[in-house]
Amino acid sequence: MSFDEDLARWEAGELSIDELATAYPDEDVRGIASVHAAFAGIAREPVPDASASWERLGARLPARARVGRARRRAIVIGLAAAMLMGSAIAYAAAPSGVRGVVRTIVNVFRDEQPAAPPTGGAPSQVTRDDERSTSRPAPSGEPSARETQDADEPDHGDGGDDEPEVRESGDPDERETPSPDATEDPDDGGGDGDGDGDGSTPTPDPEPSSSDELDGSDQSNDPSHD
Amino acid sequence: MTLSEDPTIAVNIPGASHDRNGEAYVEHGNDAGVPSLLVERAKRGDRDAFGEIYRAHHAAIFRFARFASDPGAAEDIVADVFLRAWTALPRYRDTGVPFIAWLYGIARHVAADARRRARRVEPRDALPDSPTDPPSADRVALFEALERLPEEQRQVIELKFLIGCSNDEVGAALGKTPGAVNAQQWRALAQLRRWLEDG
């Protein structure tokens, strides 16, 4: 046993001070014990009752009610907004084949005539053709919507500006807020659904879809990169 | 552990409660008696929960404040500590460090601020009259000697004696093993003894 360990045993009451001093004649056992006792005496001094001081302090606490819930609500709303925006941007930026797939899936759910799953060839060809004619209005459709949307799309690669303001200014809690960036989901089903009218059939006639605002709703995929 | 009248038996049980026989005992809770659930409730703005935390830790923070600054200002320091804690609580994360150690960290800053604002005077007649007190131990001298210790040793002494943490809790607070905490404690006390003896 070391000196430190025996001191701990003395502190625990397992050794007397005499035994310790005898075991370590070269150490200032009693001197150390006296300083130890001084601190122990300070620790034993009476302290005022906490209840009375709490009564005074409790009334001074600044309001901080519901902060957690408000923050959580803001986070949920922000995340939802980020996901929607991210989905829209991702869809617009997605390669035409991907958009075709998305449209196909959407059409399946809408009971539309499912489009042939995009294979390597045709859809991409269509895509390329479409890309060349980004401004060409779709026959039935809402070219304008797509173009408008394209025009509006700031930047396809841009995932950064959809960061919601879930962090209230000055709120020290920022650390616990998951970064909404992390949830950006480029492949989120083209989200909102909807797609457009039909899937990525090779036939270039996208059907207009009234609910289609977010994405190009046009078969003629994509545009724009720009 | 039992508090004994025998001065040769160690009586270091800071923060101990006493049963009906006058024997001291220390309750070992999750964190000196403050369940993490209570902390979580207080973080969400539950004043009653914070009140429980206050009552659980008031004595420890008061002892520290009284020793580290003007005893007359101790209650104000305690209030300031808990006000700051209330404000900072949303940022608190349980990382394994005892909650009381977090409060202690706040208390150190508040006490240092108080000392800077006021000159600390300790009347000699405030020294406790106990057979266990060393004859040359004077609270001001003790405090000044403590301030000279290396940071870690000083924190060990403050956490163990004033705040009432066990070696395990001090170790968790400082990132050390209980054995290392024990060694630091005795090293610190031996150094304090040398300084006090030298005058």
Side-chain angles (χ1 to χ4, degrees):
Chain A
M1 282 263 172
S2 67
F3 183 44
D4 291 342
E5 289 168 342
D6 280 334
L7 280 165
R9 290 177 60 209
W10 164 76
E11 184 180 49
E14 298 171 14
L15 281 179
S16 70
I17 194 70
D18 288 335
E19 287 171 325
L20 195 58
T22 301
Y24 298 94
D26 295 335
E27 300 285 356
D28 184 10
V29 169
R30 294 184 192 277
I32 293 172
S34 69
V35 181
H36 182 282
F39 280 110
I42 291 170
R44 283 199 305 274
E45 291 172 8
V47 296
D49 177 52
S51 299
S53 56
W54 170 248
E55 289 295 321
R56 294 188 295 273
L57 180 65
R60 295 170 54 193
L61 292 180
R64 194 163 55 73
R66 307 288 187 259
V67 168
R69 284 186 208 170
R71 185 170 64 245
R72 280 194 296 274
R73 198 177 306 126
I75 291 171
V76 169
I77 292 172
L79 285 174
M83 289 176 67
L84 283 174
M85 194 177 304
S87 300
I89 294 173
Y91 182 81
S96 57
V98 172
R99 291 171 62 145
V101 169
V102 170
R103 289 196 199 98
T104 301
I105 294 170
V106 168
N107 289 337
V108 166
F109 283 105
R110 293 180 63 184
D111 288 330
E112 299 272 351
Q113 183 127 66
T119 57
S124 47
Q125 271 185 345
V126 171
T127 301
R128 285 192 213 107
D129 289 343
D130 290 339
E131 287 177 26
R132 277 188 225 114
S133 59
T134 54
S135 59
R136 183 185 60 196
S140 42
E142 340 216 39
S144 49
R146 182 170 63 80
E147 288 173 351
T148 301
Q149 194 238 338
D150 292 343
D152 287 345
E153 279 308 314
D155 174 21
H156 297 287
D158 175 50
D161 56 356
D162 55 352
E163 183 159 355
E165 292 305 320
V166 296
R167 299 173 186 179
E168 290 149 17
S169 50
D171 190 332
D173 290 338
E174 297 177 2
R175 258 175 298 175
E176 103 178 324
T177 304
S179 168
D181 286 339
T183 62
E184 192 176 332
D185 196 352
D187 280 328
D188 194 9
D192 341 282
D194 16 296
D196 8 314
D198 49 355
S200 47
T201 47
T203 48
D205 265 8
E207 287 164 353
S209 147
S210 56
S211 57
D212 242 356
E213 278 65 40
L214 278 181
D215 42 67
S217 59
D218 227 340
Q219 173 116 54
S220 28
N221 300 312
D222 187 43
S224 52
H225 303 285
D226 185 14
Chain B
M1 186 175 295
T2 303
L3 185 67
S4 170
E5 291 302 318
D6 182 349
T8 64
I9 300 296
V11 294
N12 175 30
I13 316 176
S17 303
H18 292 79
D19 63 16
R20 62 176 70 84
N21 295 323
E23 292 192 336
Y25 65 94
V26 177
E27 290 179 313
H28 297 282
N30 192 12
D31 167 55
V34 177
S36 56
L37 183 59
L38 208 56
V39 173
E40 288 303 314
R41 284 171 48 203
K43 283 173 65 174
R44 292 194 292 270
D46 187 335
R47 288 167 186 252
D48 290 340
F50 192 71
E52 291 298 320
I53 292 172
Y54 179 89
R55 280 182 279 273
H57 293 312
H58 171 268
I61 300 301
F62 185 90
R63 279 193 301 269
F64 173 80
R66 183 173 55 190
F67 179 78
S69 186
D70 181 350
E75 201 64 82
D76 290 339
I77 291 174
V78 170
D80 199 1
V81 168
F82 281 94
L83 276 171
R84 294 192 192 191
W86 171 254
T87 302
L89 205 50
R91 295 193 298 278
Y92 171 80
R93 297 292 177 268
D94 185 358
T95 57
V97 173
F99 185 78
I100 184 62
W102 182 71
L103 290 177
Y104 159 73
I106 297 174
R108 287 181 59 202
H109 290 294
V110 174
D113 289 346
R115 285 197 302 276
R116 277 192 285 272
R117 286 192 303 267
R119 197 176 68 174
R120 179 169 174 268
V121 176
E122 281 292 345
R124 288 183 173 275
D125 60 4
L127 289 175
D129 183 16
S130 161
T132 61
D133 287 339
S136 60
D138 160 83
R139 179 138 356 158
V140 174
L142 201 57
F143 174 78
E144 290 175 351
L146 189 66
E147 288 285 283
R148 294 170 62 186
L149 285 175
E151 176 79 4
E152 205 164 68
Q153 288 183 9
R154 183 171 57 77
Q155 290 183 6
V156 167
I157 298 298
E158 289 176 344
L159 282 167
K160 275 219 58 183
F161 290 89
L162 301 174
I163 300 297
C165 292
S166 64
N167 281 0
D168 286 350
E169 289 168 331
V170 176
L174 302 181
K176 298 201 158 301
T177 64
V181 170
N182 182 64
Q184 290 277 45
Q185 172 187 315
W186 299 114
R187 211 165 294 154
L189 291 176
Q191 181 61 67
L192 290 172
R193 170 62 181 175
R194 285 191 288 272
W195 286 332
L196 291 171
E197 206 174 20
D198 293 344

